[in-house]
Amino acid sequence: MPLPAITVVTPVFNEEAVLPELLSRLTALFDAHPDCAWHAVLVDDGSRDRTAELVRAAAARDPRFELVELSRNFGFQSALSAGLARAAGADAVVTMDADLQDPPEIIPEFVAAWRGGAEVVRAVRRSRSEKGLRRVGFDIFHALFGKLIDYPIEPNTGTFGLLGRDALATFNSLPEHHRFFPGLRSWIGFPTADVPYDRKERAAGQPQQTFHHLLRYALDGLFSFSRLPLRLLTFTGVIIANAGFAAAIFYAMRRILDLETAPTGYTTLVTLLLFIGGVQLIGIGVLGEYLGRIYDEVKRRPHYIVKPPARGPRA
Ligand code: UDP
Ligand code: MG
């Protein structure tokens, strides 16, 4: 029997500070578990530092490492998709961040769960090392998200985990542009196992996902897995319309019964006008979020573009 082929897929963006440690810990892991045929695909997501160079050098030294270089920065989800596409055909792929917040040493536990029959393995955080605002942001996101989406996602999971051959093929065949990996991974509905772990601090360097990235990611998760915002709009509309109707009857009665005294209502009018105007704008904004996503989907552009090979001057 040939050894199971296991590919580790990791997007890297400006990670020159952690790369040496990442590469050495992966190498140690691979060497310690000769019962699998290991491979690592590092997807350079348009780094502006020496990341691509370091991975290229590692690939030249050790054929188990491979560099996929994107033509520019496409963002984590797209880089991940590029890596998963490259890993097609492996018996299983492990998806993980480059910064060693996800410790590679627990990968053998994923493989054990996969060997036990799971098609999807998710690493579930027992603890998180993020502090301060980032931490609060993550907590709020997970609390809200759990309530909002149509399809529940285990709150303490992220990218870290394993996909078996079938899950990988299914994931690679999903056509959608806005990808929210943890959501899609549960959405495909394959037999799943969870492996608990402690999420570490970044081994070196700075977080590469800016607040803006994370916000966009959160919105992608919400809008691609829920129609609740649309439904809320409808409810809000119904409530406001009813309130307006009730107010109309109330004021008409006052007029008819001659209860009206001095002319009133300037403040009320301004307040209502601003309130309703605001609600309408929010409504248009929410519609816009969906519309924008539809626009991106219908363009059918690829999620990422691999950098063309370097060539010398043309004759
Ligand atoms: N990353 C990427 N493209 C980006 C931003 C980040 O491929 O545009 C990679 C980064 O190199 C790391 C992973 O995504 O491997 C997670 O990034 P980070 O640690 O900055 O995010 P966080 O831990 O805050 O989710
Ligand atoms: Mg990180």
Side-chain angles (χ1 to χ4, degrees):
M1 272 255 297
L3 299 178
I6 306 215
T7 301
V8 177
V9 170
T10 304
V12 281
F13 176 57
N14 295 345
E15 298 286 13
E16 64 178 4
V18 287
L19 258 179
E21 187 180 342
L22 173 72
L23 294 169
S24 71
R25 277 168 68 177
L26 282 177
T27 308
L29 172 82
F30 296 172
D31 290 342
H33 294 85
D35 53 340
C36 298
W38 296 98
H39 197 68
V41 174
L42 290 105
V43 183
D44 175 45
D45 189 16
S47 299
R48 288 177 286 270
D49 62 2
R50 293 174 54 242
T51 297
E53 204 180 303
L54 292 175
V55 178
R56 197 174 294 116
R61 278 195 308 271
D62 183 340
R64 291 174 297 187
F65 289 94
E66 180 179 349
L67 169 69
V68 171
E69 216 177 339
L70 302 187
S71 63
R72 63 168 169 84
N73 180 247
F74 281 87
F76 175 77
Q77 295 295 314
S78 301
L80 187 66
S81 299
L84 291 174
R86 183 64 195 83
D91 293 311
V93 287
V94 173
T95 45
M96 83 175 194
D97 285 1
D99 57 6
L100 299 167
Q101 284 191 289
D102 305 336
E105 289 72 26
I106 69 163
I107 292 176
E109 294 179 38
F110 300 170
V111 175
W114 170 69
R115 284 197 156 125
E119 199 38 42
V120 170
V121 182
R122 303 178 299 188
V124 183
R125 288 180 282 265
R126 262 190 301 242
S127 63
R128 245 185 194 284
S129 61
E130 277 94 359
K131 305 232 160 47
L133 257 185
R134 248 178 134 72
R135 174 69 202 240
V136 174
F138 280 121
D139 285 349
I140 293 179
F141 171 70
H142 283 297
L144 273 181
F145 201 68
K147 300 252 179 321
L148 289 180
I149 56 166
D150 298 337
Y151 194 83
I153 295 171
E154 164 64 44
N156 285 311
T157 56
T159 316
F160 199 23
L162 174 147
L163 301 178
R165 175 187 279 279
D166 294 339
L168 174 65
T170 307
F171 191 85
N172 279 340
S173 70
L174 295 176
E176 65 198 81
H177 191 93
H178 289 279
R179 288 178 162 208
F180 180 67
F181 183 76
L184 292 171
R185 184 177 54 189
S186 341
W187 179 85
I188 60 177
F190 288 177
T192 300
D194 288 341
V195 171
Y197 81 115
D198 296 307
R199 191 154 163 95
K200 303 282 183 320
E201 298 276 8
R202 221 174 207 285
Q206 293 299 316
Q208 294 302 328
Q209 305 241 64
T210 55
F211 178 73
H212 174 80
H213 268 111
L214 290 174
L215 186 68
R216 209 168 57 190
Y217 188 46
L219 290 177
D220 268 345
L222 177 59
F223 288 111
S224 53
F225 281 92
S226 176
R227 290 195 203 158
L228 194 71
L230 289 174
R231 232 170 282 147
L232 281 180
L233 272 187
T234 315
F235 289 143
T236 317
V238 168
I239 290 169
I240 292 180
N242 279 321
F245 188 65
I249 293 180
F250 174 72
Y251 287 116
M253 291 309 276
R254 288 222 311 188
R255 212 7 103 74
I256 292 165
L257 301 176
D258 237 3
L259 293 174
E260 213 157 54
T261 45
T264 53
Y266 176 74
T267 317
T268 320
L269 272 183
V270 171
T271 313
L272 281 180
L273 208 70
L274 287 178
F275 175 68
I276 293 176
V279 169
Q280 282 173 338
L281 284 181
I282 293 171
I284 294 173
V286 171
L287 287 181
E289 286 292 333
Y290 286 96
L291 189 67
R293 273 153 232 271
I294 295 172
Y295 180 54
D296 287 341
E297 298 295 343
V298 296
K299 280 189 289 193
R300 306 200 60 110
R301 286 198 189 139
H303 311 219
Y304 56 84
I305 293 178
V306 175
K307 199 175 200 164
R311 54 166 122 222
R314 287 170 214 270

